[in-house]
Amino acid sequence: GNSVTQMEGPVTLSEEAFLTINCTYTATGYPSLFWYVQYPGEGLQLLLKATKADDKGSNKGFEATYRKETTSFHLEKGSVQVSDSAVYFCALSDPESGAGSYQLTFGKGTKLSVIP
Amino acid sequence: DSGVTQTPKHLITATGQRVTLRCSPRSGDLSVYWYQQSLDQGLQFLIQYYNGEERAKGNILERFSAQQFPDLHSELNLSSLELGDSALYFCASSEPYTGELFFGEGSRLTVL
């Protein structure tokens, strides 16, 4: 079955530090890949996505590249801010879901804390 | 604001009881997904409805059931509750052409 593995947290960084959160996946077929962010007390929000190999998703300074050869989708940001403190989830959509169905398989989440 | 509305936000109940969680999707979205988020299991897909019909089923217990009504709102029914059912339950709806999921703020269930 499909699975997503992301690095365990929590991760604590100082403001302006470089961020990498590793994510690898196992899937049959060609899934789309996503990063979602969950701020305290809120639901998940889509941060970025990539739908095919070598695609780069980017948003709010975050980037991730769909690497089919290494089955990875690592999240990076060059300079984190205190406001980036949240839980980050890597996810894939099941390519076998069928038209109109986008059930996601999530990693366990990585909690990021950015200190001033 | 994602446009997905979930009620109640918090719910405390006792073992053996039954609760109903409600979700209204974004205007125009036909699909509703239910997820359970717990500390040990992470985010688990429970079930999906599309325009009133069950489309996909994930790790949903037999004690749980869901439905989607003609006005597209959905309800998740949890019965014979156990301590381990304590979790955050999210509803999401999907944008029909891109597949992006929009999540509600969740319903936090505490079973005592």
Side-chain angles (χ1 to χ4, degrees), chain B residues 37-107:
Chain B
Q37 185 181 34
S38 60
L39 283 175
D40 53 344
Q41 295 293 324
L43 267 164
Q44 298 282 317
F45 167 68
L46 296 179
I47 197 164
Q48 178 206 355
Y49 278 81
Y50 180 83
N51 203 20
E53 295 191 1
E54 182 184 305
R55 174 64 69 92
K57 189 177 274 192
N59 301 319
I60 188 166
L61 300 173
E62 285 191 11
R63 300 183 286 109
F64 296 0
S65 64
Q67 54 185 327
Q68 185 179 27
F69 295 87
D71 67 352
L72 300 178
H73 91 271
S74 178
E75 294 181 355
L76 179 66
N77 301 296
L78 315 175
S79 62
S80 303
L81 286 168
E82 302 175 359
L83 296 177
D85 298 328
S86 296
L88 197 51
Y89 291 85
F90 284 109
C91 169
S93 65
S94 64
E95 204 283 331
Y97 300 105
T98 68
E100 178 178 348
L101 291 191
F102 294 85
F103 283 81
E105 294 186 355
S107 294

Side-chain angles (χ1 to χ4, degrees), chain A residues 34 36 38 41-46 49 87 89 97-108, chain B residues 31 33 35 37 40-41 43 45 48 50 55-56 88 90 94 96-101 103-105:
Chain A
F34 305 82
Y36 277 81
Q38 184 178 27
E42 298 183 13
L44 281 75
Q45 303 172 25
L46 178 65
K49 69 176 184 181
V87 181
F89 293 89
S97 297
S101 185
Y102 300 99
Q103 63 185 86
L104 299 180
T105 299
F106 286 90
K108 288 192 178 295
Chain B
S31 277
Y33 305 74
Y35 283 85
Q37 185 181 34
D40 53 344
Q41 295 293 324
L43 267 164
F45 167 68
Q48 178 206 355
Y50 180 83
R55 174 64 69 92
L88 197 51
F90 284 109
S94 64
Y97 300 105
T98 68
E100 178 178 348
L101 291 191
F103 283 81
E105 294 186 355

Side-chain angles (χ1 to χ4, degrees), chain B residues 12-16 81-83 86 110-112:
Chain B
I12 301 174
T13 189
T15 54
L81 286 168
E82 302 175 359
L83 296 177
S86 296
T110 302
V111 182
L112 302 176

